[in-house]
Coordinates of all heavy atoms in Angstrom, one line a residue:
M1 N 47.0 143.8 53.3 CA 46.2 143.5 54.5 C 46.8 144.3 55.7 O 48.0 144.2 55.9 CB 46.2 142.0 54.8 CG 45.7 141.6 56.2 SD 46.0 140.0 56.8 CE 46.1 139.0 55.4
D2 N 46.0 144.9 56.4 CA 46.4 145.6 57.6 C 45.8 144.9 58.8 O 44.7 144.6 58.8 CB 46.0 147.1 57.6 CG 46.6 147.9 56.5 OD1 47.7 147.6 56.1 OD2 46.1 148.9 56.1
I3 N 46.6 144.7 59.8 CA 46.1 144.1 61.1 C 46.7 144.9 62.3 O 47.8 145.5 62.2 CB 46.5 142.6 61.2 CG1 48.0 142.4 61.3 CG2 45.9 141.9 60.1 CD1 48.3 141.0 61.6
H4 N 46.1 144.8 63.4 CA 46.6 145.2 64.7 C 46.5 144.1 65.6 O 45.4 143.4 65.7 CB 45.8 146.4 65.2 CG 46.2 146.9 66.5 ND1 47.3 147.7 66.7 CD2 45.8 146.6 67.8 CE1 47.5 147.9 68.0 NE2 46.6 147.3 68.6
A5 N 47.6 143.7 66.3 CA 47.5 142.5 67.1 C 48.4 142.8 68.3 O 49.4 143.5 68.3 CB 48.1 141.3 66.4
K6 N 48.1 142.2 69.4 CA 48.9 142.2 70.7 C 49.4 140.8 70.9 O 48.7 139.9 70.8 CB 48.1 142.7 71.9 CG 47.6 144.1 71.8 CD 47.0 144.6 73.0 CE 46.6 146.1 72.9 NZ 46.4 146.7 74.1
F7 N 50.7 140.8 71.3 CA 51.4 139.5 71.5 C 51.9 139.5 72.9 O 52.4 140.5 73.4 CB 52.5 139.3 70.5 CG 52.0 139.2 69.1 CD1 52.3 140.2 68.2 CD2 51.3 138.1 68.6 CE1 51.8 140.2 66.9 CE2 50.9 138.0 67.3 CZ 51.1 139.1 66.5
H8 N 51.9 138.4 73.6 CA 52.4 138.2 75.0 C 53.2 136.9 75.0 O 53.1 136.1 74.1 CB 51.2 138.2 75.9 CG 50.3 139.4 75.8 ND1 50.6 140.6 76.4 CD2 49.1 139.5 75.3 CE1 49.7 141.4 76.2 NE2 48.7 140.8 75.5
G9 N 53.9 136.8 76.1 CA 54.6 135.5 76.4 C 55.6 135.1 75.4 O 56.4 136.0 75.0
E10 N 55.6 133.9 75.0 CA 56.6 133.3 74.2 C 56.6 134.0 72.8 O 57.7 134.2 72.2 CB 56.4 131.8 74.0 CG 57.5 131.1 73.3 CD 57.4 129.6 73.3 OE1 56.3 129.1 73.7 OE2 58.3 128.9 72.9
V11 N 55.5 134.4 72.3 CA 55.4 135.0 71.0 C 56.1 136.4 71.1 O 56.9 136.8 70.2 CB 54.0 135.2 70.5 CG1 53.9 136.0 69.2 CG2 53.4 133.8 70.3
E12 N 55.8 137.2 72.1 CA 56.4 138.5 72.3 C 57.9 138.4 72.5 O 58.7 139.1 71.9 CB 55.8 139.2 73.5 CG 56.3 140.5 73.8 CD 55.7 141.2 75.0 OE1 55.3 140.5 75.9 OE2 55.8 142.4 75.0
E13 N 58.3 137.4 73.2 CA 59.8 137.2 73.5 C 60.5 136.8 72.2 O 61.6 137.3 72.0 CB 60.0 136.0 74.5 CG 59.5 136.4 75.9 CD 59.5 135.2 76.8 OE1 59.9 134.1 76.5 OE2 58.9 135.4 77.9
T14 N 59.8 136.0 71.3 CA 60.4 135.6 70.1 C 60.6 136.8 69.2 O 61.7 137.0 68.5 CB 59.6 134.5 69.4 OG1 59.5 133.4 70.3 CG2 60.2 134.1 68.1
I15 N 59.6 137.6 69.0 CA 59.7 138.9 68.2 C 60.8 139.8 68.7 O 61.6 140.3 68.0 CB 58.3 139.6 68.2 CG1 57.3 138.8 67.4 CG2 58.5 141.0 67.6 CD1 55.9 139.3 67.6
D16 N 60.9 139.9 70.0 CA 62.0 140.8 70.6 C 63.3 140.2 70.3 O 64.3 140.9 70.1 CB 61.7 141.0 72.1 CG 60.5 141.8 72.4 OD1 60.1 142.6 71.6 OD2 60.0 141.7 73.6
E17 N 63.4 138.9 70.4 CA 64.7 138.2 70.2 C 65.2 138.4 68.7 O 66.4 138.6 68.4 CB 64.6 136.7 70.5 CG 65.9 135.9 70.3 CD 67.0 136.3 71.3 OE1 66.7 136.9 72.4 OE2 68.2 136.1 71.1
I18 N 64.3 138.3 67.8 CA 64.6 138.5 66.4 C 65.1 139.9 66.2 O 66.1 140.1 65.5 CB 63.3 138.3 65.5 CG1 62.9 136.8 65.5 CG2 63.5 138.8 64.1 CD1 61.5 136.6 64.9
I19 N 64.6 140.9 66.8 CA 65.1 142.3 66.7 C 66.4 142.4 67.4 O 67.4 143.0 66.9 CB 64.0 143.3 67.3 CG1 62.8 143.3 66.4 CG2 64.6 144.7 67.4 CD1 61.6 144.0 67.0
R20 N 66.6 141.8 68.6 CA 67.9 141.9 69.4 C 69.0 141.3 68.6 O 70.1 141.8 68.6 CB 67.7 141.1 70.7 CG 67.4 142.0 71.9 CD 67.6 141.4 73.2 NE 67.0 140.1 73.4 CZ 65.7 139.9 73.7 NH1 64.9 140.9 73.8 NH2 65.2 138.7 73.9
R21 N 68.7 140.2 67.8 CA 69.7 139.5 67.0 C 70.0 140.3 65.7 O 70.9 139.9 65.0 CB 69.3 138.1 66.8 CG 69.4 137.2 68.0 CD 69.0 135.8 67.7 NE 69.1 135.0 68.9 CZ 69.4 133.8 68.9 NH1 69.8 133.2 67.8 NH2 69.4 133.1 70.0
G22 N 69.3 141.3 65.4 CA 69.5 142.1 64.3 C 68.9 141.5 63.0 O 69.2 142.0 61.9
R23 N 68.0 140.6 63.1 CA 67.4 139.9 61.9 C 66.3 140.9 61.3 O 66.0 140.8 60.2 CB 66.8 138.6 62.2 CG 67.7 137.6 62.9 CD 68.7 137.1 61.9 NE 69.4 135.8 62.3 CZ 70.3 135.8 63.1 NH1 70.8 136.8 63.7 NH2 70.9 134.6 63.4
A24 N 65.8 141.7 62.2 CA 64.7 142.7 61.8 C 64.9 143.9 62.6 O 65.4 143.9 63.7 CB 63.4 142.1 62.0
S25 N 64.5 145.1 62.0 CA 64.7 146.3 62.8 C 63.3 146.8 63.4 O 63.4 147.6 64.3 CB 65.2 147.4 61.9 OG 64.3 147.6 60.8
T26 N 62.2 146.2 63.0 CA 60.9 146.5 63.6 C 60.1 145.3 63.9 O 60.4 144.2 63.4 CB 60.1 147.4 62.7 OG1 59.7 146.7 61.5 CG2 60.8 148.7 62.3
K27 N 59.1 145.4 64.7 CA 58.3 144.3 65.0 C 57.5 143.8 63.8 O 57.4 142.6 63.5 CB 57.3 144.6 66.2 CG 58.0 144.8 67.5 CD 57.0 145.2 68.6 CE 57.8 145.5 69.9 NZ 56.9 145.9 70.9
T28 N 57.1 144.8 63.0 CA 56.4 144.4 61.7 C 57.3 143.6 60.8 O 56.9 142.6 60.3 CB 55.9 145.7 61.0 OG1 55.1 146.5 61.8 CG2 55.2 145.4 59.7
E29 N 58.5 144.0 60.7 CA 59.5 143.3 59.9 C 59.7 141.9 60.4 O 59.8 140.9 59.7 CB 60.8 144.1 59.7 CG 61.8 143.5 58.8 CD 63.1 144.3 58.7 OE1 63.2 145.3 59.4 OE2 63.9 143.9 58.0
A30 N 59.8 141.8 61.7 CA 60.1 140.5 62.4 C 58.9 139.5 62.1 O 59.1 138.4 61.8 CB 60.3 140.7 63.9
I31 N 57.7 140.1 62.2 CA 56.5 139.2 61.9 C 56.5 138.8 60.5 O 56.2 137.7 60.1 CB 55.2 140.0 62.3 CG1 55.2 140.1 63.9 CG2 54.0 139.2 61.9 CD1 54.2 141.1 64.4
R32 N 56.8 139.8 59.6 CA 56.8 139.5 58.1 C 57.8 138.4 57.8 O 57.5 137.4 57.1 CB 57.1 140.7 57.3 CG 57.1 140.6 55.8 CD 57.3 141.8 55.1 NE 56.2 142.8 55.3 CZ 56.3 143.9 56.0 NH1 57.4 144.2 56.6 NH2 55.2 144.7 56.1
L33 N 59.0 138.5 58.3 CA 60.0 137.5 58.1 C 59.6 136.1 58.6 O 59.9 135.1 58.0 CB 61.4 137.9 58.7 CG 62.0 139.1 58.0 CD1 63.3 139.6 58.8 CD2 62.4 138.8 56.6
T34 N 59.0 136.1 59.8 CA 58.6 134.9 60.4 C 57.5 134.2 59.6 O 57.5 133.0 59.4 CB 58.0 135.1 61.8 OG1 59.0 135.8 62.6 CG2 57.6 133.9 62.5
I35 N 56.6 135.0 59.0 CA 55.6 134.4 58.2 C 56.2 133.8 56.9 O 55.8 132.7 56.4 CB 54.5 135.4 57.8 CG1 53.7 135.7 59.1 CG2 53.5 134.9 56.7 CD1 52.8 136.9 59.0
L36 N 57.1 134.6 56.3 CA 57.8 134.1 55.1 C 58.6 132.8 55.4 O 58.6 131.9 54.6 CB 58.7 135.1 54.5 CG 57.9 136.3 53.8 CD1 58.9 137.4 53.4 CD2 57.1 135.8 52.6
D37 N 59.2 132.8 56.6 CA 60.0 131.6 57.0 C 59.0 130.4 57.1 O 59.4 129.3 56.7 CB 60.7 131.8 58.3 CG 61.6 130.7 58.7 OD1 62.6 130.4 57.9 OD2 61.3 130.0 59.7
Y38 N 57.9 130.6 57.7 CA 56.9 129.5 57.9 C 56.5 129.0 56.5 O 56.4 127.8 56.2 CB 55.7 130.0 58.6 CG 54.6 128.9 58.8 CD1 54.7 128.1 59.9 CD2 53.6 128.8 57.9 CE1 53.8 127.1 60.1 CE2 52.7 127.7 58.1 CZ 52.8 126.9 59.2 OH 51.9 125.9 59.4
R39 N 56.2 129.9 55.6 CA 55.9 129.5 54.2 C 57.0 128.7 53.6 O 56.7 127.7 53.0 CB 55.6 130.8 53.4 CG 55.2 130.4 51.9 CD 55.1 131.7 51.1 NE 54.8 131.3 49.7 CZ 53.6 131.4 49.1 NH1 52.6 131.9 49.7 NH2 53.5 131.1 47.8
H40 N 58.2 129.2 53.7 CA 59.3 128.5 53.1 C 59.5 127.1 53.7 O 59.8 126.1 52.9 CB 60.6 129.3 53.4 CG 61.8 128.6 52.9 ND1 62.1 128.5 51.5 CD2 62.9 128.0 53.5 CE1 63.3 127.9 51.4 NE2 63.7 127.6 52.6
H41 N 59.3 126.9 55.0 CA 59.5 125.6 55.6 C 58.3 124.7 55.7 O 58.5 123.5 55.8 CB 60.1 125.8 57.0 CG 61.5 126.3 57.0 ND1 61.8 127.6 57.1 CD2 62.7 125.6 56.8 CE1 63.1 127.8 57.0 NE2 63.7 126.6 56.8
H42 N 57.1 125.2 55.6 CA 55.9 124.4 55.9 C 54.9 124.4 54.8 O 54.1 123.5 54.7 CB 55.3 124.8 57.2 CG 56.2 124.7 58.4 ND1 56.5 123.5 58.9 CD2 56.8 125.7 59.1 CE1 57.4 123.7 59.9 NE2 57.6 125.0 60.0
L43 N 54.8 125.4 53.9 CA 53.8 125.5 52.9 C 54.3 125.2 51.5 O 53.5 125.0 50.6 CB 53.1 126.8 53.0 CG 52.5 127.2 54.3 CD1 51.9 128.6 54.2 CD2 51.4 126.2 54.7
R44 N 55.6 125.2 51.3 CA 56.2 125.1 50.0 C 55.9 123.7 49.4 O 56.1 122.7 50.1 CB 57.7 125.3 50.1 CG 58.4 125.3 48.7 CD 59.8 125.8 48.9 NE 60.6 125.1 49.8 CZ 61.5 124.1 49.5 NH1 61.7 123.9 48.2 NH2 62.1 123.5 50.4
Q45 N 55.4 123.7 48.2 CA 55.2 122.4 47.5 C 56.6 121.9 47.0 O 57.5 122.7 46.7 CB 54.3 122.6 46.3 CG 52.9 123.1 46.6 CD 52.1 122.0 47.2 OE1 52.3 120.8 47.0 NE2 51.1 122.4 48.1
E46 N 56.7 120.6 46.8 CA 58.0 120.1 46.3 C 58.4 120.7 45.0 O 59.5 120.9 44.6 CB 57.9 118.6 46.2 CG 57.9 117.9 47.6 CD 59.1 118.2 48.5 OE1 60.2 118.2 47.9 OE2 58.9 118.4 49.7
S47 N 57.4 121.0 44.1 CA 57.6 121.5 42.8 C 58.0 123.0 42.8 O 58.4 123.5 41.8 CB 56.4 121.2 41.9 OG 55.3 121.9 42.4
E48 N 57.7 123.7 43.8 CA 58.0 125.1 43.9 C 59.5 125.3 44.0 O 60.2 124.6 44.7 CB 57.3 125.8 45.1 CG 55.9 126.1 44.9 CD 55.3 126.8 46.1 OE1 56.1 127.5 46.9 OE2 54.1 126.8 46.3
A49 N 59.9 126.4 43.4 CA 61.3 126.8 43.7 C 61.5 127.3 45.1 O 60.5 127.9 45.6 CB 61.7 127.9 42.6
P50 N 62.6 127.1 45.7 CA 62.8 127.7 47.1 C 62.6 129.2 47.1 O 63.0 129.9 46.2 CB 64.2 127.3 47.5 CG 64.7 126.4 46.4 CD 63.8 126.5 45.2
L51 N 62.0 129.7 48.2 CA 61.8 131.1 48.4 C 63.2 131.6 48.9 O 63.7 131.2 49.9 CB 60.7 131.4 49.4 CG 59.3 131.0 48.9 CD1 58.3 131.3 50.0 CD2 58.9 131.8 47.7
E52 N 63.7 132.6 48.3 CA 65.0 133.2 48.7 C 64.7 134.6 49.3 O 64.0 135.4 48.7 CB 65.9 133.4 47.5 CG 66.4 132.0 46.9 CD 67.2 131.2 47.8 OE1 67.9 131.7 48.7 OE2 67.1 130.0 47.7
L53 N 65.2 134.8 50.5 CA 65.0 136.1 51.1 C 66.3 136.9 50.8 O 67.4 136.5 51.1 CB 64.9 136.0 52.6 CG 63.7 135.2 53.1 CD1 63.7 135.1 54.6 CD2 62.4 135.9 52.7
T54 N 66.1 138.0 50.2 CA 67.3 138.8 49.8 C 67.4 140.0 50.7 O 66.6 140.3 51.5 CB 67.1 139.4 48.3 OG1 66.0 140.3 48.3 CG2 66.8 138.2 47.3
A55 N 68.5 140.7 50.5 CA 68.8 141.8 51.4 C 67.8 143.0 51.2 O 67.6 143.8 52.0 CB 70.2 142.3 51.1
H56 N 67.2 143.0 50.0 CA 66.2 144.0 49.7 C 64.8 143.6 49.8 O 63.9 144.3 49.3 CB 66.5 144.5 48.2 CG 67.9 145.0 48.0 ND1 68.4 146.1 48.6 CD2 68.9 144.4 47.4 CE1 69.6 146.3 48.3 NE2 70.0 145.3 47.5
A57 N 64.5 142.5 50.5 CA 63.2 141.9 50.6 C 62.2 142.9 51.3 O 61.0 142.9 50.9 CB 63.2 140.6 51.3
N58 N 62.7 143.7 52.1 CA 61.8 144.6 52.9 C 62.1 146.1 52.6 O 61.7 147.0 53.4 CB 61.9 144.4 54.4 CG 61.4 143.0 54.8 OD1 60.2 142.8 54.5 ND2 62.2 142.2 55.4
R59 N 62.7 146.3 51.4 CA 63.0 147.7 51.1 C 61.8 148.6 51.1 O 61.8 149.8 51.5 CB 63.7 147.8 49.7 CG 63.9 149.2 49.3 CD 64.9 149.3 48.1 NE 66.2 149.4 48.7 CZ 67.3 149.2 48.0 NH1 67.3 148.8 46.8 NH2 68.5 149.4 48.6
D60 N 60.6 148.1 50.7 CA 59.4 148.9 50.7 C 59.0 149.3 52.1 O 58.5 150.4 52.3 CB 58.2 148.1 50.1 CG 57.9 146.8 50.8 OD1 58.9 146.1 51.3 OD2 56.7 146.5 50.9
I61 N 59.3 148.6 53.1 CA 59.0 148.9 54.5 C 60.1 149.9 55.0 O 59.8 150.9 55.6 CB 59.0 147.7 55.4 CG1 57.9 146.8 54.9 CG2 58.8 148.1 56.9 CD1 56.5 147.4 54.9
W62 N 61.4 149.6 54.7 CA 62.4 150.5 55.2 C 62.3 151.9 54.6 O 62.7 152.9 55.3 CB 63.8 149.9 54.7 CG 64.1 148.6 55.3 CD1 63.6 148.0 56.4 CD2 65.0 147.7 54.7 NE1 64.2 146.8 56.6 CE2 65.0 146.5 55.6 CE3 65.8 147.6 53.6 CZ2 65.8 145.4 55.3 CZ3 66.6 146.5 53.4 CH2 66.6 145.4 54.2
E63 N 61.8 152.0 53.4 CA 61.7 153.3 52.8 C 60.4 154.0 52.9 O 60.1 155.1 52.4 CB 62.1 153.2 51.3 CG 63.6 152.8 51.1 CD 63.9 152.6 49.7 OE1 63.0 152.6 48.8 OE2 65.1 152.3 49.4
D64 N 59.4 153.4 53.7 CA 58.1 153.9 53.8 C 58.0 154.8 55.0 O 58.1 154.4 56.1 CB 57.1 152.7 54.0 CG 55.7 153.1 54.0 OD1 55.4 154.4 54.1 OD2 54.8 152.2 54.0
K65 N 57.9 156.1 54.7 CA 57.8 157.1 55.8 C 56.6 157.0 56.7 O 56.6 157.3 57.8 CB 57.8 158.6 55.2 CG 59.1 158.9 54.4 CD 60.3 158.8 55.3 CE 61.6 159.1 54.5 NZ 62.8 158.7 55.3
N66 N 55.5 156.4 56.1 CA 54.3 156.2 56.9 C 54.5 155.1 57.9 O 54.0 155.2 59.0 CB 53.1 155.8 56.0 CG 52.6 157.0 55.2 OD1 52.7 158.1 55.7 ND2 52.1 156.7 54.0
E67 N 55.3 154.1 57.6 CA 55.7 153.1 58.5 C 56.5 153.7 59.7 O 56.2 153.3 60.9 CB 56.5 152.0 57.8 CG 56.9 150.8 58.7 CD 55.8 149.8 58.8 OE1 54.8 149.8 58.1 OE2 55.9 148.9 59.7
D68 N 57.4 154.6 59.4 CA 58.2 155.2 60.5 C 57.2 156.0 61.4 O 57.4 156.0 62.6 CB 59.2 156.2 59.8 CG 60.3 155.4 59.1 OD1 60.5 154.2 59.3 OD2 61.0 156.1 58.3
K69 N 56.3 156.8 60.8 CA 55.4 157.6 61.5 C 54.6 156.7 62.5 O 54.3 157.1 63.6 CB 54.5 158.4 60.6 CG 55.1 159.5 59.9 CD 54.1 160.2 59.0 CE 54.8 161.2 58.1 NZ 53.9 161.8 57.1
T70 N 54.1 155.6 62.0 CA 53.3 154.7 62.8 C 54.1 154.2 64.0 O 53.6 154.2 65.2 CB 52.9 153.4 62.0 OG1 52.1 153.9 60.9 CG2 52.0 152.5 62.8
W71 N 55.3 153.7 63.8 CA 56.1 153.2 64.9 C 56.5 154.3 65.9 O 56.5 154.2 67.1 CB 57.4 152.5 64.4 CG 56.9 151.1 63.9 CD1 56.9 150.7 62.7 CD2 56.4 150.1 64.7 NE1 56.4 149.4 62.6 CE2 56.0 149.0 63.9 CE3 56.1 149.9 66.1 CZ2 55.5 147.8 64.3 CZ3 55.6 148.7 66.5 CH2 55.3 147.7 65.7
L72 N 56.8 155.5 65.4 CA 57.1 156.6 66.2 C 55.9 157.0 67.1 O 56.1 157.3 68.3 CB 57.6 157.8 65.4 CG 59.0 157.7 64.8 CD1 59.2 158.9 63.8 CD2 60.1 157.5 65.8
K73 N 54.7 156.9 66.6 CA 53.5 157.2 67.3 C 53.4 156.2 68.5 O 53.2 156.5 69.6 CB 52.3 157.1 66.4 CG 51.0 157.2 67.2 CD 49.8 156.9 66.3 CE 48.6 156.7 67.1 NZ 47.5 156.0 66.4
Y74 N 53.6 154.9 68.2 CA 53.5 153.9 69.3 C 54.6 154.0 70.3 O 54.4 153.9 71.5 CB 53.6 152.4 68.7 CG 52.2 152.1 68.0 CD1 52.2 151.9 66.7 CD2 51.1 151.9 68.8 CE1 51.0 151.5 66.1 CE2 49.9 151.5 68.2 CZ 49.8 151.4 66.8 OH 48.7 151.0 66.3
L75 N 55.8 154.4 69.9 CA 56.9 154.6 70.8 C 56.6 155.8 71.7 O 56.9 155.7 72.9 CB 58.2 154.8 70.1 CG 58.8 153.6 69.4 CD1 60.0 154.0 68.5 CD2 59.2 152.5 70.3
K76 N 56.1 156.8 71.1 CA 55.7 158.0 71.9 C 54.6 157.7 72.9 O 54.7 158.1 74.1 CB 55.3 159.2 71.0 CG 55.0 160.5 71.6 CD 54.6 161.5 70.6 CE 54.2 162.8 71.3 NZ 53.7 163.8 70.3
E77 N 53.6 157.0 72.5 CA 52.5 156.6 73.4 C 53.0 155.7 74.6 O 52.6 155.8 75.7 CB 51.4 155.9 72.7 CG 50.6 156.8 71.8 CD 49.6 156.0 70.9 OE1 49.5 154.8 71.1 OE2 48.9 156.7 70.1
G78 N 54.0 154.9 74.3 CA 54.6 154.0 75.3 C 55.3 154.7 76.4 O 55.5 154.2 77.5
K79 N 55.8 155.9 76.1 CA 56.6 156.7 77.1 C 55.8 157.4 78.1 O 56.3 158.0 79.0 CB 57.6 157.6 76.4 CG 58.7 156.9 75.6 CD 59.6 157.9 74.9 CE 60.7 157.1 74.2 NZ 61.6 158.0 73.5
K80 N 54.5 157.5 77.8 CA 53.6 158.3 78.6 C 53.4 157.6 80.0 O 53.4 156.5 80.2 CB 52.2 158.5 78.0 CG 52.3 159.4 76.8 CD 50.9 159.6 76.2 CE 51.1 160.6 75.0 NZ 49.8 160.7 74.3

């Protein structure tokens, strides 16, 4: 699923804080981790095994050159 969303206020501050604390390196990664955390804490059935986040959970994003191009485009547009 691909989405484009704008965040303001407390949501934007939370995403920025996740990145400042080094939990994620991009906004996309911060949102992905937050959704997985929500699933782990609020949607998990008692019978489900706990969801474990590993160091390689986002390797597909880290190694995706298209993801880099997308963020570089947004960063470049923001400097105008």
Side-chain angles (χ1 to χ4, degrees):
M1 167 191 335
D2 292 335
I3 64 169
H4 176 79
K6 291 187 179 199
F7 299 106
H8 304 282
E10 190 174 9
V11 174
E12 179 182 26
E13 291 169 10
T14 302
I15 292 168
D16 290 341
E17 183 68 22
I18 291 168
I19 293 169
R20 266 195 306 281
R21 290 181 181 214
R23 304 292 196 279
S25 58
T26 66
K27 292 176 183 180
T28 301
E29 185 181 359
I31 293 166
R32 182 179 292 107
L33 290 174
T34 304
I35 291 168
L36 290 173
D37 185 67
Y38 182 87
R39 177 184 178 107
H40 176 73
H41 288 97
H42 301 286
L43 301 178
R44 185 169 56 101
Q45 299 286 334
E46 291 300 320
S47 61
E48 281 185 22
L51 295 176
E52 297 293 330
L53 298 177
T54 67
H56 302 291
N58 291 304
R59 176 167 268 163
D60 60 324
I61 299 301
W62 298 336
E63 296 175 353
D64 185 350
K65 296 300 179 192
N66 289 327
E67 183 80 13
D68 293 342
K69 288 178 189 175
T70 300
W71 284 110
L72 290 173
K73 175 187 168 202
Y74 284 113
L75 291 172
K76 184 178 176 183
E77 288 176 0
K79 291 181 181 179
K80 290 181 181 178

